[in-house]
Amino acid sequence: MKKIFILSVTLSLFSLTSCEDFLDLQPISEETSGNGYNTASQIEAALVGSYESLQSAEYYVWDNINYSDVRADNAYAGGDNPELFAVDKLQITPTSGRLYKNWSNLYNAIAKANLVLLKVDGVDDVNFTAERRKQIKGEALFLRSYHYFSLVKLWGGVPLVTAYSTSADAGSVNVPRNTVDEVYAKIIEDLELTATLLPDTYGDNAAINKARATSGAAHALLAKVYAQKPNPDYQKVLDHITALEKSTANYTLINYNNLFSGSDYNNAESIIEVQYTGANEGNYGPQLLLPPSVSGDTWRKFVTPSKNLIAAFDEQSDNVRKNASIKYESAPWVDEYWGNASGSVIPFAYKWKSASGFASTNRQYLLRYGDLVLLKAEAYNELNNIGAATTEVNRIRERVLLPKLTAAQTSSKEVMRETILKERRLELFQEGHRWDDLARFNLLVTTMNTLVETDLRNGNQINYNMTPAKILLPIPQQELDRNPALVPNPL
């Protein structure tokens, strides 16, 4: 790995000991990893640089939606990008530039966290308390774990790089892949420690508590990790959700429409989110998805909700979540699934509500409590407590004005599993969960191969030709060429 310099980053995202102190902090622009990070302000700037990856890395801006909702059955690619058409049709190749960018962005983010962990114990500054040192370690470990969780879900076993290195020696940078189990074990080890290092809150300011990793965020991520790993531990899932629910941060479900209004972020359901502020620190993702009446332009938009998804909303008469998630509008382009004619009315992904010329303040939730409530239901069901699982699902349904689950929807563990997955689909569309949910229960191959989607240009049904090998993404060819120690995923 190369010597890394701290870039000028977004300093309005996070707080130090107070908002005022933080806003006075200046980023490091010239100091290297060898001679910098000796003061409290320098290590805080390095930590901000670590958080900044959640804002700038394309995977977190919107490729997590492409690789989950578009790659699965929730959306079509839309737009005009051949690499995204390949994602939609499950024809992703190792030479995709998108793959390499995501891989590189995630490992660069890990390197930033590793640098903080390397330097934090060496800071000798009267303004740097032992408590703050402990918190910074926890925050950096959380961020590294979050990135590794993204990597292992996308590619399976990946190289575990847990120390910052400035060496250009091939032996230092050409790291072989660890196994999937090893990656999950390291994530769990780090997050279990993280949960003990971080506070429930950093005070009364929600813009700080939702911007930075907390013990609640660590427990929430641990619950998701224990569920997603190859041999899930659902008792651990419940244990960590229970710890989350005991947090003095008081996470709770809120009105579903307020989650995505664009003006109610940092709410009680949010566990952690990126603090897009607009202008130079804005989110460019919404401009790519929103319809002409909102975006102000007329080129073809991306992440078009699928007919199969719309049918799933309509099957449940789920108007609250459908209307919060999808906006219909006449499109001045031809959509091959919705009408195949200019001017056809098509659905648009609408959990982002404001485009603002590629500088939106709209956000994705990195972690939110509604996801964890449904994961809690899943854990209860897998532990054969269908009654408790039903109670949790009904909490989610009641807030969107849907009736409680019927006996037919909860008649067995297998039926309840399907019920929960349907609920997660409607609750979490456009939040990057669908592919992982189907993978967790080994349903990707059957779901994609029985999916009926017709290209109206020729009347042909789409053949996704889903295979077990396509569950994971190909290792980027550029990375294989650079690092001969890597073994590719089967194609």
Side-chain angles (χ1 to χ4, degrees):
M1 295 183 181
K2 300 176 182 178
K3 182 179 291 186
I4 294 179
F5 296 80
I6 292 298
L7 305 177
S8 176
V9 295
T10 309
L11 290 180
S12 58
L13 294 183
F14 310 101
S15 167
L16 301 183
T17 54
S18 73
C19 292
E20 290 79 9
D21 291 342
F22 186 80
L23 291 175
D24 291 336
L25 184 64
Q26 297 298 315
I28 300 170
S29 59
E30 296 179 354
E31 297 181 63
T32 70
S33 60
N35 62 22
Y37 317 103
N38 298 314
T39 68
S41 62
Q42 289 171 338
I43 199 66
E44 295 283 4
L47 180 65
V48 171
S50 296
Y51 276 108
E52 188 270 344
S53 292
L54 295 172
Q55 183 188 63
S56 63
E58 187 156 356
Y59 178 73
Y60 294 121
V61 175
W62 77 308
D63 268 353
N64 58 338
I65 301 173
N66 287 315
Y67 286 123
S68 187
D69 290 283
V70 171
R71 192 161 48 136
D73 53 354
N74 274 356
Y76 314 121
D80 59 356
N81 188 306
E83 289 188 338
L84 291 177
F85 294 152
V87 170
D88 187 358
K89 301 292 180 59
L90 304 181
Q91 297 170 350
I92 308 167
T93 66
T95 56
S96 167
R98 202 167 212 92
L99 282 186
Y100 183 67
K101 178 183 287 187
N102 292 149
W103 176 283
S104 300
N105 284 172
L106 290 170
Y107 270 106
N108 183 56
I110 287 167
K112 291 179 182 179
N114 283 340
L115 179 60
V116 173
L117 292 168
L118 172 69
K119 293 295 183 177
V120 65
D121 282 332
V123 174
D124 185 12
D125 188 323
V126 294
N127 298 314
F128 198 54
T129 66
E131 181 67 15
R132 185 61 191 136
R133 191 189 309 271
K134 183 177 74 169
Q135 290 173 358
I136 288 178
K137 287 181 183 178
E139 290 179 83
L141 284 170
F142 174 87
L143 291 169
R144 188 174 73 182
S145 298
Y146 196 94
H147 301 318
Y148 269 119
F149 189 42
S150 298
L151 283 165
V152 74
K153 290 185 296 177
L154 291 169
W155 282 286
V158 293
L160 276 173
V161 182
T162 57
Y164 183 83
S165 173
T166 59
S167 173
D169 177 71
S172 298
V173 297
N174 293 340
V175 182
R177 299 175 69 172
N178 290 80
T179 66
V180 171
D181 288 340
E182 288 170 340
V183 176
Y184 272 106
K186 184 58 179 171
I187 294 171
I188 289 169
E189 176 190 347
D190 284 352
L191 286 175
E192 294 281 8
L193 174 59
T194 295
T196 70
L197 296 175
L198 294 177
D200 284 3
T201 70
Y202 295 90
D204 297 328
N205 190 335
I208 297 171
N209 294 327
K210 308 299 183 177
R212 292 170 54 182
T214 59
S215 62
H219 286 300
L221 188 55
L222 272 164
K224 292 179 71 65
V225 168
Y226 272 115
Q228 198 72 35
K229 69 192 189 84
N231 53 333
D233 187 334
Y234 279 105
Q235 185 55 56
K236 288 286 190 181
V237 173
L238 284 180
D239 292 345
H240 284 289
I241 295 177
T242 298
L244 169 75
E245 292 175 331
K246 290 180 178 178
S247 169
T248 59
N250 297 319
Y251 302 109
T252 187
L253 299 175
I254 68 168
N255 183 289
Y256 194 81
N257 286 314
N258 290 350
L259 284 169
F260 308 103
S261 68
S263 58
D264 294 288
Y265 292 117
N266 299 323
N267 54 65
E269 187 164 337
S270 172
I271 299 171
I272 183 170
E273 61 191 71
V274 181
Q275 304 291 302
Y276 286 112
T277 58
N280 292 336
E281 308 304 336
N283 181 2
Y284 66 79
Q287 191 80 29
L288 302 173
L289 275 59
L290 287 167
S293 68
V294 180
S295 64
D297 49 39
T298 58
W299 43 267
R300 187 179 183 187
K301 300 300 178 168
F302 297 88
V303 190
T304 305
S306 71
K307 288 191 170 183
N308 190 273
L309 174 71
I310 299 300
F313 276 113
D314 292 345
E315 179 188 42
Q316 294 293 315
S317 299
D318 188 352
N319 295 320
V320 172
R321 287 184 295 199
K322 181 181 179 182
N323 292 338
S325 307
I326 292 166
K327 181 178 177 63
Y328 285 90
E329 190 168 305
S330 175
W333 57 79
V334 174
D335 186 284
E336 62 271 29
Y337 296 100
W338 293 96
N340 195 37
S342 179
S344 296
V345 174
I346 69 171
F348 292 82
Y350 194 54
K351 279 188 170 174
W352 291 325
K353 301 289 194 289
S354 172
S356 302
F358 297 96
S360 177
T361 59
N362 286 177
R363 308 167 187 177
Q364 285 189 64
Y365 295 100
L366 299 175
L367 293 165
R368 71 172 173 93
Y369 182 54
D371 172 17
L372 275 297
V373 171
L374 287 173
L375 194 63
K376 186 179 182 182
E378 180 181 311
Y380 275 131
N381 186 59
E382 296 305 314
L383 294 172
N384 300 305
N385 189 341
I386 296 177
T390 301
T391 297
E392 297 301 322
V393 175
N394 284 337
R395 291 175 63 194
I396 294 292
R397 290 176 64 84
E398 287 169 355
R399 75 156 167 180
V400 293
L401 309 180
L402 291 179
K404 292 183 178 182
L405 295 176
T406 66
Q409 292 171 300
T410 61
S411 59
S412 69
K413 180 177 179 179
E414 291 70 29
V415 169
M416 189 63 180
R417 182 183 298 150
E418 182 179 354
T419 296
I420 293 169
L421 283 172
K422 286 181 178 179
E423 205 68 38
R424 287 184 63 81
R425 186 182 191 187
L426 305 183
E427 176 77 14
L428 299 167
F429 165 65
Q430 201 191 320
E431 297 183 60
H433 294 277
R434 180 61 171 168
W435 189 269
D436 297 338
D437 288 349
L438 293 172
R440 196 159 60 250
F441 291 106
N442 196 30
L443 293 172
L444 279 168
V445 174
T446 55
T447 297
M448 297 310 296
N449 283 339
T450 58
L451 182 61
V452 178
E453 295 286 4
T454 302
D455 186 334
L456 298 178
R457 293 172 297 185
N458 52 30
N460 293 337
Q461 184 175 324
I462 305 298
N463 181 5
Y464 291 96
N465 191 29
M466 180 63 187
T467 66
K470 292 182 179 180
I471 293 173
L472 297 176
L473 295 175
I475 301 294
Q477 188 62 50
Q478 285 173 274
E479 192 63 16
L480 292 171
D481 294 340
R482 186 199 66 77
N483 181 2
L486 289 180
V487 177
N489 280 333
L491 299 177

